Amino acid sequence: MANSLVHLNVHTEYSIVDSTIRIPQLIKKIKAMNMPAVAITDMNNVFATVKFFNAAQKAGIKPIIGADVWVTDPEDESRVFELTLLCQNRAGYLNLSQIISHAQYHRNANHQPCVTADYVKAHHEGLIVLADSMYSDVGQHIINQKLELAVEAMVQWKQVFGDRYYVAIAQIGRDREQAVNSAAIYIAAHQEVPLVATGRCRFLESEDFNAHEARICINRGYVLADPKRPKEYTANQFVQSPEKMAASYAQFPTMIENSWEIAKRCTLDFNFKDYYLPDFPIPEGMTIDSYFAKLCRDNLNEFLAEFGPDPEYTEQDYHDRLDHEIKVILDMGFPGYFLIVSDFIRWSKDNQIPVGPGRGSGAGSLVAYVLKITNLDPLKYELLFERFLNPERISMPDFDVDFCMDRRDEVIAYVSDTYGKEKVSQIITYGSMNAKAVVRDAGRVLGYPYPVVDGIAKLIPNDLGITLTEALQKAPDLKQLYDEDDEAAEVIDLSLKLEGLKRNVGKHAGGVVIAPSAISDFCPVYVEENSGSVVSQFDKDDVESIGLVKFDFLGLRTLTIIDWALQSIEQETGKKPDIDNIPLDDKKTFALLKSAKTTSVFQLESTGMQALIGRLLPDRFEDIIALVALYRPGPLDSGMVDTYVKCKHGLEEPNYMHESLTEILEPTYGVILYQEQVMQIAQVLSGFTPGGADILRKAMGKDCCSDGATETSAY
């Protein structure tokens, strides 16, 4: 490996503005070229870190984590220069996280997130610096013919970083590059600063240059043919082979060798096994485990004293179920999670903020019920705890909690005040260039009139998530235009190269992270420039993979409308109905439902659902549950709906398949409608444990269910 090249400055699509490189294709090419390692260094972010790290390791390639950062020019704060920072180890990653996070809060007059040189130097441990010969402070001084300042800057960086400071030499055909490189090499030799070759890669293949330039124009509002637009990139900034790079640096083989030496020095790894929960305040003299167990048992005793058990169960059944759940939760180390969720729900209710009754698999937990996280007795509705928390498949619990849309932010503010603003953030999302939008963008930067481009875009079917490739197969008019019209072909060909690239960042609709210390101790934060809202730089899957705990604070307009209705009733009658204890057998309600006049009724409002209601004619609450479960692609396409309706109305006899399944399938007329039924059948017929049945249920959900059936019980 002595002469192996490692690309140490690669931007991916997650740079958002200046790269068309997708991570899977990058890893595939690096592996095909037998390169041992690669670094990604997106500008001021590490959005792609976890995805890149996992993809590289799976391919047997060493992943190097880094970022390009803007550093304020001390002589003019409106100007910045660029440094590449690579993580040697965990300390370097944490320092990079601090630097990037700090930059998000400190934007210059040009809205660029940047840090001072002193801040970088104060967080130098575990970081390797690559100073580009043109874009670093050294390079800028050389360009401005201030060689003494260039020497001074180099010396100062070397004093802090020592042998972790390199001057990066890129030979990619930039204006004045050869002269500036020569000066940088000369100064570095006299200061005994090592040199390293870089390609400043911004696209994968040489033929991707035009698509890359189009992406720049889309982001900055230019047209490709505009002679006045800035041209900062060259056609040589693709991921070049080791052989091509070695030929370019034949006079300086040490620069190639140093890229591999740097790669060997970078040994950052991630712990994807542990979870990091914030501390929950508990009474003195108690542990979190003992407090949690006592609170659950005390609350269950209060519930049983006030309401008693469901007629189908005894008090001992409730105690046995609670003891089982407590043991699983304590064994898995999650009591703090339940206490935190219970606390912010309690605070919300105390402050008259409407909270949903609970949904998803969390409703299967008796602990959640007695802690008033949910309002559903899981024994009464035969909901299974293992669907929510499976001791045989360790994963974080995940409650989806609905709040009044208008007051959801108050709950998030309470959590921030309780645990510390630096420990709480919402979660980032990434917008992508979809089919219609990318066609319009491509047509604009190519300079075609709007009516021409709009005409192409309108031929793309309105199917959710459709790709251009699928559109060309599904829409004959679009395919004909593509085959016969050169202008349309140019627009679509460019669009195909850009489609799906990350275009912008946003905020997850409900996800909130609460960390035991500052979020930046785990990953950098991103600050939305206009709103000042803070989000994690890792998306929901990646924050969970590094052990941070995601809480879902979902804003639900229906809760707001219900609250308005209750207030209106109270104003008119002087009494406010208890929404948690309304009768579930009201004849007038079912008469209205049978009429299928359910416009604006949550989850029952669509035309298709109204048609199903007209066939099923619900007359019990269980039918409403079944309606929501049946109105999904799987049941609708499989004949389950017809079977359920016919059996309900006595037009067909239920088929329970085996006498041992009668009790399980009788409530749904022999139709296996709920995931809980799948789990129960696995236990009865095959002797599965509850945890093993859940693993089977999840596998079936991935392979057989069109929607994954994650939000409700339905298959």
Side-chain angles (χ1 to χ4, degrees), residues 138-158:
V138 171
Q140 291 296 297
H141 289 318
I142 293 173
I143 289 172
N144 294 325
Q145 298 183 355
K146 298 178 180 179
L147 299 185
E148 290 184 1
L149 291 178
V151 173
E152 183 180 335
M154 193 179 291
V155 169
Q156 289 176 353
W157 287 112
K158 184 182 177 183

Side-chain angles (χ1 to χ4, degrees), residues 582-595 617-621 624:
I582 58 175
L584 299 182
D585 56 357
D586 183 71
K587 292 182 179 179
K588 289 183 179 180
T589 300
F590 282 104
L592 176 64
L593 282 174
K594 287 180 181 179
S595 72
L617 299 175
D619 55 11
R620 56 181 186 146
F621 187 70
I624 300 174

Side-chain angles (χ1 to χ4, degrees), residues 391-648:
E392 297 181 36
R393 179 179 52 83
I394 304 298
S395 62
M396 276 300 300
D398 187 12
F399 286 112
D400 293 333
V401 185
D402 294 312
F403 295 97
C404 163
M405 179 75 77
D406 291 347
R407 302 188 64 190
R408 166 181 168 270
D409 289 345
E410 293 180 44
V411 187
I412 296 175
Y414 165 74
V415 169
S416 293
D417 292 339
T418 301
Y419 296 97
K421 288 181 171 56
E422 75 285 356
K423 300 177 183 178
V424 178
S425 80
Q426 292 183 256
I427 297 173
I428 203 166
T429 57
Y430 310 106
S432 300
M433 297 185 183
N434 62 34
K436 283 182 180 284
V438 78
V439 162
R440 289 192 166 95
D441 282 335
R444 180 183 63 77
V445 300
L446 287 169
Y448 289 116
Y450 176 79
V452 173
V453 179
D454 188 54
I456 301 171
K458 285 181 176 177
L459 292 176
I460 299 171
N462 290 318
D463 300 0
L464 184 65
I466 191 169
T467 66
L468 272 175
T469 301
E470 292 169 344
L472 288 167
Q473 295 170 348
K474 284 187 174 182
D477 291 347
L478 181 66
K479 182 64 165 66
Q480 182 179 358
L481 186 66
Y482 176 71
D483 290 338
E484 299 177 359
D485 188 305
D486 290 343
E487 291 181 349
E490 184 181 19
V491 172
I492 292 172
D493 284 341
L494 177 57
S495 300
L496 286 166
K497 288 194 172 186
L498 297 172
E499 184 183 18
L501 289 174
K502 301 294 179 283
R503 177 170 185 172
N504 60 278
V505 299
K507 185 165 54 180
H508 188 275
V512 175
V513 171
I514 309 174
S517 59
I519 298 292
S520 56
D521 290 341
F522 300 88
C523 72
V525 296
Y526 175 85
V527 181
E528 293 182 324
E529 185 178 353
N530 296 324
S531 69
S533 178
V534 179
V535 295
S536 62
Q537 286 209 0
F538 291 171
D539 66 19
K540 66 181 183 67
D541 295 327
D542 292 349
V543 293
E544 290 184 314
S545 72
I546 64 168
L548 289 177
V549 181
K550 175 177 69 72
F551 300 82
D552 283 320
F553 294 68
L554 304 172
L556 188 63
R557 176 61 63 184
T558 301
L559 282 176
T560 308
I561 293 170
I562 290 172
D563 189 51
W564 290 343
L566 294 175
Q567 291 178 33
S568 178
I569 293 169
E570 186 177 24
Q571 288 174 1
E572 291 191 20
T573 66
K575 296 181 180 180
K576 187 174 184 178
D578 181 359
I579 195 68
D580 292 325
N581 290 293
I582 58 175
L584 299 182
D585 56 357
D586 183 71
K587 292 182 179 179
K588 289 183 179 180
T589 300
F590 282 104
L592 176 64
L593 282 174
K594 287 180 181 179
S595 72
K597 296 177 181 178
T598 55
T599 302
S600 297
V601 177
F602 183 59
Q603 292 193 328
L604 305 182
E605 65 266 49
S606 71
T607 303
M609 176 62 88
Q610 290 179 22
L612 178 56
I613 291 170
R615 293 176 59 197
L616 194 145
L617 299 175
D619 55 11
R620 56 181 186 146
F621 187 70
E622 288 73 13
D623 285 341
I624 300 174
I625 301 171
L627 275 169
V628 178
L630 287 166
Y631 194 67
R632 290 172 176 269
L636 288 171
D637 296 338
S638 65
M640 292 167 65
V641 171
D642 290 338
T643 301
Y644 189 98
V645 171
K646 288 177 182 178
C647 290
K648 175 176 172 58

Side-chain angles (χ1 to χ4, degrees), residues 247-265:
S248 299
Y249 292 85
Q251 288 183 295
F252 306 102
T254 304
M255 294 188 196
I256 299 290
E257 294 169 12
N258 280 345
S259 71
W260 173 232
E261 291 302 317
I262 290 171
K264 289 193 293 185
R265 299 176 72 177

Side-chain angles (χ1 to χ4, degrees), residues 231-243:
K231 296 182 180 178
E232 304 168 20
Y233 304 89
T234 77
N236 294 317
Q237 291 184 249
F238 63 98
V239 181
Q240 298 185 24
S241 68
E243 294 77 17

Side-chain angles (χ1 to χ4, degrees), residues 15-225:
S15 67
I16 304 301
V17 296
D18 75 340
S19 176
T20 59
I21 295 176
R22 295 169 168 89
I23 287 171
Q25 286 83 350
L26 171 66
I27 298 302
K28 183 178 180 181
K29 182 169 184 179
I30 294 295
K31 187 173 182 65
M33 295 190 300
N34 293 316
M35 300 175 77
V38 65
I40 60 169
T41 57
D42 290 320
M43 180 57 72
N44 291 307
N45 79 65
V46 293
F47 298 157
T49 291
V50 175
K51 294 174 177 58
F52 164 71
F53 185 90
N54 288 333
Q57 285 214 320
K58 185 177 180 180
I61 293 164
K62 185 175 188 177
I64 302 169
I65 306 302
D68 288 341
V69 298
W70 282 318
V71 183
T72 305
D73 185 336
E75 295 181 355
D76 183 352
E77 292 188 357
S78 67
R79 295 189 318 207
V80 293
F81 60 88
E82 176 192 303
L83 289 180
T84 299
L85 303 177
L86 303 177
C87 301
Q88 282 186 281
N89 46 37
R90 182 71 181 171
Y93 171 75
L94 293 177
N95 274 322
L96 180 63
S97 179
Q98 295 294 332
I99 290 167
I100 293 175
S101 299
H102 184 79
Q104 290 294 323
Y105 290 102
H106 298 83
R107 295 176 182 262
N108 63 11
N110 296 319
H111 309 289
Q112 296 166 303
C114 51
V115 293
T116 64
D118 287 341
Y119 194 87
V120 175
K121 291 171 183 175
H123 295 79
H124 70 89
E125 184 183 355
L127 290 173
I128 292 173
V129 173
L130 309 185
D132 182 79
S133 60
M134 294 189 71
Y135 296 130
S136 67
D137 51 349
V138 171
Q140 291 296 297
H141 289 318
I142 293 173
I143 289 172
N144 294 325
Q145 298 183 355
K146 298 178 180 179
L147 299 185
E148 290 184 1
L149 291 178
V151 173
E152 183 180 335
M154 193 179 291
V155 169
Q156 289 176 353
W157 287 112
K158 184 182 177 183
Q159 285 175 344
V160 175
F161 283 87
D163 65 354
R164 293 178 288 123
Y165 178 74
Y166 291 78
V167 171
I169 304 296
Q171 300 189 129
I172 52 178
R174 298 170 289 184
D175 289 342
R176 297 187 286 176
E177 180 181 83
Q178 188 173 352
V180 176
N181 279 354
S182 296
I185 292 169
Y186 178 83
I187 296 172
H190 280 269
Q191 299 304 321
E192 297 183 342
V193 171
L195 303 166
V196 62
T198 61
R200 297 187 64 85
C201 306
R202 302 295 181 263
F203 41 97
L204 199 65
E205 308 291 350
S206 58
E207 57 267 27
D208 295 334
F209 177 62
N210 286 338
H212 168 267
E213 291 294 278
R215 171 158 202 180
I216 300 294
C217 290
I218 290 170
N219 179 260
R220 300 184 184 179
Y222 292 111
V223 175
L224 276 167

